[in-house]
Amino acid sequence: MAQTKTRHFLDRMADLSRREDYYPDVSFGKTYVNISIDAEGQAALAERNSGFTGEMEALAAADKA
């Protein structure tokens, strides 16, 4: 079951990345996903990341429910 939730999250993350044209570093295993976002010193990128991470967190919360 955890593998199905992980896959579902990854599919939804891929949709979000395509929609936003933003592709963070992603690594994953059977039951976990690690996402790295780097916005070092760039205000515009930091603002974009903030919106992206907010949507990503909503995806993760929906999969936990």
Side-chain angles (χ1 to χ4, degrees):
M1 172 114 113
Q3 293 173 351
T4 302
K5 285 186 175 188
T6 302
R7 182 69 215 179
H8 185 248
F9 177 78
L10 288 169
D11 289 342
R12 293 173 63 197
M13 274 293 303
D15 292 341
L16 175 60
S17 287
R18 281 190 292 272
R19 187 180 79 228
E20 297 293 323
D21 193 31
Y22 183 73
Y23 301 91
D25 292 330
V26 178
S27 60
F28 59 92
K30 287 183 177 181
T31 59
Y32 70 91
V33 177
N34 290 322
I35 300 172
S36 299
I37 297 175
D38 184 17
E40 200 172 305
Q42 298 177 13
L45 183 58
E47 184 177 323
R48 181 177 187 183
N49 286 343
S50 178
F52 187 89
T53 56
E55 289 190 53
M56 181 184 58
E57 288 171 352
L59 293 177
D63 282 342
K64 286 183 181 179

